[in-house]
Structure formats: structure tokens, C-alpha cells
Amino acid sequence: MEKFSQHTGVGVPLRRSNVDTDQIIPAVYLKRVTRTGFEDALFAAWRGDPEFILNQDAYKAGSVLVAGPDFGTGSSREHAVWALKDYGFRAVLSARFADIFRGNSGKQGLLAAQLAQEDIELIWKVLETVPGTEVTVDLAAKLVHCADVTVPFQVDDYTRWRLMEGLDDIGLTLQHEAEITAFEASREAWRPRTLPAKHLPPVEIVAARPVVRTGDDALV
Amino acid sequence: MAGTLAEKVWDAHIVRRGTDGAPDLLYIDLHLVHEVTSPQAFEGLRLAGRPVRRPDLTIATEDHNTPTLDIDRPIADLTSRTQIQTLRNNAAEFGVRLHSLGDADQGIVHQVGPQLGLTMPGLTVVCGDSHTSTHGAFGALAFGIGTSEVEHVLATQTLPLAPFKTMAITVDGTLPPGTTSKDIILAIIAKIGTGGGQGYVLEYRGEAIRALSMEARMTICNMSIEAGARAGMIAPDETTFEYLKGRPHAPEGADWDAAVDYWRTLRSDDDAVFDAEVVLEASDLEPFVTWGTNPGQGLPLSARVPVPAEIADENERVAAERALEYMGLEPGTPLRDIPVDTVFIGSCTNGRIEDLRSVAKVVQGRRKAESVRVLVVPSSARVRLQAEAEGLDKIFLDFGAEWRNAGCSMCLGMNPDQLAPGERSASTSNRNFEGRQGKGGRTHLVSPLVAAATAIRGTLSSVADLGADVVPPDGSPLTDVRGDLQHA
Ligand code: SF4
């Protein structure tokens, strides 16, 4: 995971509250087997509308999303964070985030910065007056700068530390690899192993075939 | 200090205790993998250049997408085929054992672990599937995880986990004839609600639980998640050891003795303190069915469809109104009068050999109602073989049912086994959410016995309604829990 201490990029004002994860990425995209390439899926339901903010040239290259309150509610899909990151967003600013979304973001290097709603409004005003204005998110100082607006934001210390160190969950755990190895050495012999595989003798499995239906039975 | 069963298993797996509110790091003994929640986890490993730390504690099977007909032909649905092919590629690349379609050990992941003897008391078991709680029936701490946690376990064989609360659910008495462990769990969920278990590990105990076979215990633990619980557990006992002994991966010789000695200590101490307690009397139970769109919306079969106007709680009333509209039900209708189009017997809740046997006992020598289609889908290929060895397939076919290959099938309709819009099912599975079994499909959750009786009469029914000899309930001497080993 890339280290995050400060980021500057075009701010995108998303004047909507309660943007749930279905709106961030609709369920049809969940069938994919990859974890990258979701940029086209981001806000898919809105992207067809030429007026939609990301369809306007000035905001297209945005990397700081400035959203209304209650961002990321609904289903816990991690794809919501993937889609935002794949599009190029590094930070989302909002007055309130859904817990699971915030948790998923922190784990994957997307900063979910919590601001006061009136500060969000100030930033929206700047971004709408001068489209394409850059926003700087300073994680070390916990400040957001946008033109002449400088406001504080909140992020919990643990998440902040992880982002600044660039540690994903796995990286964090692997810092304790010696302890894992020591634990493994103490595991009892009876605990199961899947390999080498043991099983009953292989038997041929015969394929079932569709039932041919007649008369009253023909339901499907 | 006195501890609960769940706390004992937890404590035995702490690699590193969390300080200052940080989570404990827990070792995972067994990681079950299937095709739906694993592709991105493997891709994450690939992107980071990480191996699977312990392929020898990992096992994969194909279940959610697999067709139950024509399994020897290419899978028609492109998404399903891609997910399965991706799993095959990943298993080969990372050295993970995989039981593919057509293999005798292929089947629903929650059947495959127990049937191979991999699921044991005192283990931590995880899988990217919420019904992993099934394995708690053995006294394992087993729970479902998300895709990024799947990747975490693949890479480290550990998980950082926040602590849980404990709830004791005591079921006293004896089950009346015609009722099963499915009725116990549906009654529990109706009692505590779909959120009643949130944050808890449930421990099922009491006389009625002790009397259950392993299969029946798995049914109960399986649905813990439908009460919102993190996991469900039952302390291991002779029934557990008997089920395990001789299975392919069960310990042998001195290891077996050491294991059993340890397993006997896996029970909540008499003075252990639970954060919450619930008590239920089994002898009061009747066959239970759901009428709504969540597993908590259930009632005894003798009841009527609720009248929303009579529900005091505003939220519940609105929920009931919405559910009845979706389900196409008139308030006040006797549940017994509800006709169904399809009966589905299968899933990780009730697709085991014992379930198939109890259904076969009811339908033997009878003919299904003309208007009903009946699908019997064994939970694994082994279960199918076992059923065929016992002649159950003939009974089902003579009855007019379809005898399918193993998989999740109509439990969630990711394969072609789906309900059409408006079609109504009596289903032995675990979720009656809107659209779960197919867009617009209407699901009534039932026990295998109710499913069998319903298939005969065409409306929701209990075996008592057949006016025939009543079938013995779960755990009776007639159920042979070792059955699925016999064809070896
Ligand atoms: S049978 Fe149903 S509940 Fe069980 S694992 Fe499959 S889809 Fe999930």
C-alpha cells in the first residue's frame, strides 16, 4: 500500500447526502473476478447523465471527492472503495461516513476524512465557483486546504498511522510473523491438515439430466 | 477463571493479544474456500507477490455456481463459468486443494469440511461465507469473513478480531414427533429476532440439543447467522466423537486419544458467565414456517398469516405489510392453506443424508401433488452417492421429484435453479429474503419433514396432516449419523 501523508488534486463537489454503496457501485458489477478496473463502475447509474459532476471536463480528473453526509451506507461491499480508488480518488471528505465504509477505506489506502458540514459547504462553494480548483489534504497536520479555505478534519489515530506508514492489514500482521511462526510450532499434532489429501476412494459421479415433463406435470 | 466454550477456543488461538483496544490476532486452523468470495483475495496476493502461507490448512470446493444438471457439460452461464474457472486457476497456482465438479468430494463447503473429518472440536474455522457458523456444531469457533479477510487468512493464517459477547441458548425438554432441529432454530430466531444475536457467539445447550445428531446440530448452528450472531456453537460430546471417528482426516491412534482428552474439556464451566441467556422449551414446539421475507418472520404451522394492523410496533408493522405484499399473502390466512409451486430440499442447512432420509421416509410409496415441482439437491456428491446406495434416489424419483447433483442450487439461485417471479416455494434452506431464490420468488423456510408433507399435499403441511405414521424426530435411533461413510 502506498504511503499517504499529503495529497493535492482536483476537488469534486458531490452535493448529495446518503450516497449508499449501491450508488457508488451497483450490484451487477460484483460478479467480476478482478479487484481492479472498476473505474467504469463508479457511480454507474449517474454516469449516463451529461450533467453529472464527473462528466464535466473540469472535474473529470478529480482525486478528492467532497461529498454530502452519510457517505457509503448500505451493503458492506468492498468494491465501493475499489471503484473510488480505481477512478483515481485518494481521499473522500464528508461530514459523516458509514462505519463499514470507513473501515474498508482505511484498510485500502483511501482516506475518509471527516469534516464539519459547514466546512464542506465552504469547499463546495470554492469548487463550484472555480471548477478544477485543487484541494490539498494534509494528513500529517489533519488539515484541508482549498484556495483560501483551510479547515481541520478528523480521522482516528490508528487509521492515520496506518495510512502514513502505508501499511495494509496484511502488512501489519506480517510485522508479527515471528510470533505466528512460534505459535505454529506449538500447535498440537491432532489438528487437521488438508494436505496431503485423504479421502474415501474416488467414485464416478453421474450427471443428472433434466426431467422430461408431460401433461399436468409441465410446470416450468 | 471460569470460561465459556467460545472463550476457551478463542484463548487457545491468540497469537498476539491486542493492547489498547487493538484486536487480538487469532490463529486460524482451517480455511474453507469457494469460488464466489475468493477471486479478488487471490488476486490481492498476486498483486502483492505473497504466497498462501498454509495451503495445508486450506481447502476449496465449487458450490455456489455449480449446475445440478448436466454437470459433464460446459457451464452455460458465463459469470458462473468464469468464477469456477478462476478458482481452478488460483488453486493450481497457489497449491490449494480443490474439489471440483464431478469429484466425489465436491459439494457445499459446509458439508465438505465435516464429511472429510476436517471440521473438529476446538478449531477456528473461517470461510468467505456467512453460514460458516455451521461448523460450530462440533464445538469449533467458526464464522464467515469478507473477501479482504479471506486474503488476510490466505497470506497470514491469522485474523485480527474484535472480541465478542456470549449468549447461552438453552433448549430443555424433548422435541415432539414431526418437529426437527430446523423448527428449534426457526423458533429461536422468531423469538430473539434477526438482530437478536448481533455481536454474540451463541452457545446452544440443554437436553434437547444433547439429544440431536451431528446433522441436526449443524442445521441449528448454520442458521445462527440469521439471528445476526457472529457464530453458534455446541459443546462436543460422544455424538461428536462418534461422527468424527474414522473419517478421512480424523486423528488416529495416540493423536485421537490426545484430541478426545482435550475435546472433553471444551464445555462452558458451570460457573461461566454469559452476557445473555435465552431459554426455550422443546416440547412446546410445533413445525415452524416463515411467512415473511426474513427468517425472523416465522410462526407455528397452525397459526395464521399475521394481520399487520394488529402489530403494535410501528417498524414491525411496516415490515410485515411490506413482506406480505411481496409474498402475495392475505392477512389472516391459515398458513396451512398456502399453496406452493415448488418444494426445494437441499442447502447447507438441510441437504444432508439424514435430511434426505427423513424426507424419503415420508414420501416413500406416495406421489407428489400434481401442481408442485420437487427438487432434491444433496449437499455434496458423497451425500448423493450415499443416498443412492440406500435407494433413496428411487424413492424420490418414484415420488415425482427431481434428483439433482450437489451444490447450493436454489438456496440462492446463482445457477439455473431459480424461482420464477411470483413463484412460491417451501424451502429447507436458510434465507427467505426478497429475490433470494430468483427475482420475485417467494420463499417459505421449512424443515425437511414439512417440505415432504407439503410436496404431498400441495399446501404448507406437517407430517401429522398426512394422517399417517408420524416420522421420528431428529436424533432418534433410526437416524444413522455415520451413514455417509458406508459406501466406501
Ligand atoms: S447452500 Fe445456501 S447458504 Fe449454504 S453456502 Fe450455499 S448459498 Fe450459502
Side-chain angles (χ1 to χ4, degrees):
Chain A
M1 206 164 94
E2 222 176 302
K3 289 188 185 184
F4 188 125
S5 59
Q6 200 185 68
H7 171 77
T8 302
V10 170
V12 179
L14 184 68
R15 268 194 191 268
R16 294 178 195 242
S17 57
N18 258 305
V19 174
D20 65 36
T21 51
D22 256 301
Q23 293 166 319
I24 299 173
I25 179 167
V28 291
Y29 293 96
L30 307 189
K31 291 182 171 180
R32 293 188 180 172
V33 292
T34 56
R35 70 185 300 157
T36 53
F38 285 95
E39 55 274 6
D40 57 325
L42 181 68
F43 301 129
W46 300 332
R47 292 277 278 282
D49 170 9
E51 296 295 301
F52 180 61
I53 195 87
L54 287 181
N55 290 333
Q56 300 174 28
D57 283 338
Y59 301 111
K60 259 194 186 128
S63 62
V64 179
L65 186 65
V66 189
D70 293 314
F71 189 83
T73 52
S75 118
S76 63
R77 61 190 68 152
E78 297 170 53
H79 303 68
V81 177
W82 298 341
L84 286 160
K85 279 183 62 186
D86 287 350
Y87 185 88
F89 285 108
R90 297 295 315 277
V92 182
L93 319 186
S94 169
R96 212 161 41 229
F97 292 96
D99 278 342
I100 295 180
F101 177 83
R102 192 186 14 231
N104 288 343
S105 303
K107 285 179 186 174
Q108 298 176 46
L110 177 74
L111 171 63
Q114 192 175 342
L115 279 75
Q117 181 57 30
E118 63 245 40
D119 294 340
I120 295 274
E121 307 270 354
L122 289 177
I123 299 171
W124 275 346
K125 219 166 271 164
V126 176
L127 296 178
E128 285 163 355
T129 320
V130 190
T133 304
E134 290 193 331
V135 176
T136 296
V137 185
D138 184 345
L139 184 55
K142 294 207 271 188
L143 290 174
V144 175
H145 311 279
C146 177
D148 55 353
V149 178
T150 292
V151 291
F153 69 84
Q154 285 176 14
V155 56
D156 69 85
D157 289 342
Y158 181 66
T159 304
R160 175 165 166 266
W161 169 75
R162 288 177 51 156
L163 286 166
M164 293 187 61
E165 296 291 320
L167 285 170
D168 62 6
D169 265 353
I170 295 175
L172 268 173
T173 296
L174 289 177
Q175 289 187 319
H176 306 297
E177 201 181 347
E179 286 157 88
I180 299 175
T181 308
F183 184 93
E184 285 176 329
S186 73
R187 293 176 75 240
E188 301 88 337
W190 58 262
R191 293 190 188 265
R193 286 171 190 241
T194 58
L195 297 171
K198 301 184 205 170
H199 37 69
L200 299 173
V203 186
E204 201 205 334
I205 304 297
V206 184
R209 295 283 180 233
V211 179
V212 182
R213 292 169 187 280
T214 48
D216 286 350
D217 250 14
L219 191 86
V220 235
Chain B
M1 211 187 83
T4 63
L5 167 62
E7 288 159 356
K8 288 182 184 181
V9 178
W10 180 283
D11 287 345
H13 289 85
I14 297 177
V15 171
R16 185 187 161 80
R17 212 173 269 283
T19 44
D20 298 335
D24 288 346
L25 188 64
L26 246 59
Y27 199 79
I28 303 301
D29 287 315
L30 181 62
H31 186 188
L32 308 163
V33 173
H34 63 86
E35 77 274 14
V36 178
T37 50
S38 66
Q40 282 103 351
F42 282 112
E43 197 194 344
L45 292 186
R46 206 174 290 121
L47 292 172
R50 289 172 174 140
V52 173
R53 182 179 176 91
R54 295 295 300 264
D56 61 334
L57 303 183
T58 311
I59 185 168
T61 173
E62 301 167 358
D63 55 7
H64 282 64
N65 282 281
T66 52
T68 56
L69 289 172
D70 293 332
I71 60 166
D72 50 347
R73 298 181 186 161
I75 299 175
D77 182 83
L78 211 61
T79 309
S80 296
R81 201 195 310 171
T82 309
Q83 287 192 343
I84 285 175
Q85 193 51 51
T86 307
L87 179 63
R88 290 176 186 175
N89 297 345
N90 285 331
E93 179 181 342
F94 289 92
V96 170
R97 172 176 174 185
L98 168 66
H99 292 293
S100 278
L101 203 53
D103 175 333
D105 285 300
Q106 176 268 339
I108 306 174
V109 68
H110 308 310
Q111 168 66 19
V112 169
Q115 107 189 350
L116 285 169
L118 285 165
T119 302
M120 294 178 193
L123 303 187
T124 45
V125 181
V126 298
C127 173
D129 184 279
S130 50
H131 294 95
T132 310
S133 56
T134 313
H135 307 265
F138 291 80
L141 184 60
F143 43 87
I145 56 178
T147 296
S148 64
E149 292 170 306
V150 171
E151 183 184 342
H152 196 280
V153 176
L154 288 172
T156 71
Q157 204 58 35
T158 63
L159 260 190
L161 286 167
F164 55 83
K165 294 178 285 180
T166 54
M167 183 188 292
I169 299 188
T170 307
V171 189
D172 294 319
T174 353
L175 275 174
T179 55
T180 69
S181 65
K182 181 68 163 280
D183 304 303
I184 296 182
I185 188 63
L186 285 174
I188 289 171
I189 298 166
K191 184 173 170 132
I192 70 175
T194 50
Q198 204 124 48
Y200 289 96
V201 172
L202 314 182
E203 182 182 335
Y204 305 98
R205 42 202 278 159
E207 190 190 340
I209 303 292
R210 292 264 75 88
L212 297 174
S213 67
M214 277 324 292
E215 271 93 349
R217 293 179 188 186
M218 284 190 249
T219 303
I220 293 201
C221 288
N222 173 277
M223 289 192 71
S224 304
I225 182 76
E226 307 311 333
R230 193 93 178 97
M233 296 178 92
I234 294 173
D237 58 11
E238 296 307 321
T239 305
T240 322
F241 309 150
E242 178 61 22
Y243 179 95
L244 266 168
K245 196 161 172 80
R247 293 203 175 252
H249 281 277
E252 293 168 56
D255 284 344
W256 171 263
D257 297 336
V260 172
D261 281 347
Y262 172 61
W263 292 344
R264 288 192 200 282
T265 69
L266 292 175
R267 48 183 291 276
S268 291
D269 295 322
D270 295 337
D271 48 348
V273 182
F274 289 89
D275 298 302
E277 300 209 37
V278 172
V279 180
L280 206 78
E281 177 56 46
S283 41
D284 294 345
L285 288 178
E286 286 178 55
F288 231 77
V289 300
T290 61
W291 51 267
T293 51
N294 74 54
Q297 292 174 322
L299 281 171
L301 187 57
S302 59
R304 290 166 182 268
V305 173
V307 180
E310 292 170 2
I311 299 175
D313 182 273
E314 156 118 37
N315 285 332
E316 272 181 42
R317 182 169 62 240
V318 174
E321 277 166 3
R322 257 218 326 264
L324 291 186
E325 188 182 335
Y326 180 84
M327 292 296 290
L329 292 175
E330 277 304 314
T333 313
L335 291 169
R336 273 204 168 79
D337 291 353
I338 298 175
V340 307
D341 307 304
T342 291
V343 170
F344 171 64
I345 293 154
S347 88
C348 61
T349 313
N350 281 125
R352 301 194 167 79
I353 188 69
E354 186 178 281
D355 302 311
L356 302 185
R357 284 191 195 126
S358 63
V359 171
K361 249 180 249 169
V362 179
V363 306
Q364 185 159 27
R366 299 174 187 261
R367 195 61 203 164
K368 71 175 180 69
E370 292 261 295
S371 56
V372 178
R373 91 169 143 151
V374 183
L375 240 62
V376 186
V377 184
S379 57
S380 74
R382 283 272 175 219
V383 169
R384 180 174 154 99
L385 288 168
Q386 171 64 19
E388 287 174 354
E390 295 178 17
L392 305 186
D393 57 325
K394 303 265 170 346
I395 297 178
F396 296 136
L397 291 169
D398 289 346
F399 177 63
E402 297 182 35
W403 176 238
R404 300 289 190 92
N405 289 113
C408 294
S409 178
M410 196 182 270
C411 176
L412 88 168
M414 269 185 102
N415 74 352
D417 308 339
Q418 297 180 2
L419 294 180
E423 195 177 342
R424 186 182 299 283
S425 77
S427 173
T428 65
S429 56
N430 47 46
R431 283 187 172 158
N432 51 344
F433 298 161
E434 290 185 16
R436 168 83 175 181
Q437 296 190 296
K439 199 163 186 254
R442 297 163 170 167
T443 305
H444 297 275
L445 299 179
V446 299
S447 74
L449 292 181
V450 170
T454 302
I456 294 168
R457 296 184 75 230
T459 58
L460 293 177
S461 305
S462 70
V463 283
D465 298 329
L466 300 173
D469 305 339
V470 170
V471 176
D474 286 357
S476 76
L478 276 174
T479 43
D480 172 15
V481 295
R482 298 292 309 287
D484 43 342
L485 281 176
Q486 282 173 357
H487 62 86

